[in-house]
Amino acid sequence: EDQVTQSPEALRLQEGESSSLNCSYTVSGLRGLFWYRQDPGKGPEFLFTLYSAGEEKEKERLKATLTKKESFLHITAPKPEDSATYLCAVQGEWITGGTSYGKLTFGQGTILTVHP
Amino acid sequence: NAGVTQTPKFQVLKTGQSMTLQCAQDMNHNSMYWYRQDPGMGLRLIYYSASEGTTDKGEVPNGYNVSRLNKREFSLRLESAAPSQTSVYFCASETTFTYEQYFGPGTRLTVT
């Protein structure tokens, strides 16, 4: 069974204080590892996809990295507007009825609060 | 492009009532999904549709039915609502080769 564990559950930072969020995973047949941002009362917003170990992607103050067992979301010099819940998910491949499907398994999320 | 849209945004039902949650996407994606999100449980897959005319059960399908009406629309039906179905429901559609899922704004459902 695919599993995703995110840590910490909550993280409080001062504006400008860089840090990292962790996502540990086990998956059968990794199609991709995904990071999402979710603001209160809204749907998850897609940030990054990583497909293989060693891959890195950047967007503004965020940088995602991937190894065979975990992914990190590095936040450099965060601002209050970066406050949100960050979700990690893996998509494994499973076969049912002779057909191959992707299956997305989410972690519980990390609640990030950045204080001015 | 509106992306993924969902209606209604909020709904209150009494136990035993039925309702249909609507979802539509304008990104020409083949695959669409329904999830529920509960505190402490994360997002869990209810049903999945790989293409128009096909649907499959996810992790928590009991008490739900779905219809893939056409390529754009994927609806979720609760035939006899129960308090355990109080949740926030999200619809998503997925790109074909990169597997990125894009979510709608959600429907907040309360069953009393």
Side-chain angles (χ1 to χ4, degrees), chain A residues 2 26-32 90-94 101-103, chain B residues 99:
Chain A
D2 301 344
T26 56
V27 64
S28 175
L30 179 69
R31 283 189 171 185
V90 293
Q91 189 174 99
E93 184 176 41
W94 95 95
Y101 296 98
K103 177 186 175 186
Chain B
Y99 313 121

Side-chain angles (χ1 to χ4, degrees), chain A residues 55-100:
Chain A
E55 191 174 359
E56 299 181 351
K57 293 215 175 145
E58 288 188 66
K59 179 180 180 181
E60 296 181 354
R61 295 176 292 281
L62 300 176
K63 178 180 177 180
T65 62
L66 181 65
T67 72
K68 289 187 178 180
K69 293 183 179 181
E70 56 191 352
S71 176
F72 292 93
L73 184 65
H74 306 279
I75 303 175
T76 302
K79 298 181 177 182
E81 54 261 42
D82 294 322
S83 297
T85 297
Y86 289 85
L87 300 170
C88 173
V90 293
Q91 189 174 99
E93 184 176 41
W94 95 95
I95 297 175
T96 178
T99 305
S100 172

Side-chain angles (χ1 to χ4, degrees), chain B residues 9-79:
Chain B
K9 291 187 176 174
F10 301 94
Q11 184 72 48
V12 179
L13 293 178
K14 294 185 177 179
T15 298
Q17 288 185 319
S18 63
M19 77 162 295
T20 299
L21 281 64
Q22 306 286 352
C23 173
Q25 53 95 6
D26 62 1
M27 295 175 282
N28 202 36
H29 292 161
N30 288 321
S31 298
M32 296 183 73
Y33 300 77
W34 275 105
Y35 294 90
R36 59 179 289 174
Q37 187 174 39
D38 303 290
M41 302 293 291
L43 278 153
R44 293 180 293 170
L45 181 64
I46 306 172
Y47 267 94
Y48 162 93
S49 172
S51 62
E52 183 180 349
T54 68
T55 61
D56 288 283
K57 295 178 180 179
E59 182 182 356
V60 288
N62 291 344
Y64 305 96
N65 285 302
V66 291
S67 295
R68 184 72 182 270
L69 304 171
N70 47 56
K71 191 171 186 177
R72 291 187 62 250
E73 298 172 290
F74 188 36
S75 64
L76 178 72
R77 182 161 179 83
L78 287 71
E79 292 290 351

Side-chain angles (χ1 to χ4, degrees), chain A residues 18-60:
Chain A
S18 301
S19 188
S20 297
L21 282 56
N22 177 261
C23 172
S24 298
Y25 67 92
T26 56
V27 64
S28 175
L30 179 69
R31 283 189 171 185
L33 183 140
F34 305 84
W35 282 98
Y36 287 85
R37 169 191 171 127
Q38 187 173 23
D39 293 299
K42 296 192 176 181
E45 174 190 346
F46 172 77
L47 292 174
F48 302 109
T49 311
L50 301 167
Y51 296 103
S52 58
E55 191 174 359
E56 299 181 351
K57 293 215 175 145
E58 288 188 66
K59 179 180 180 181
E60 296 181 354

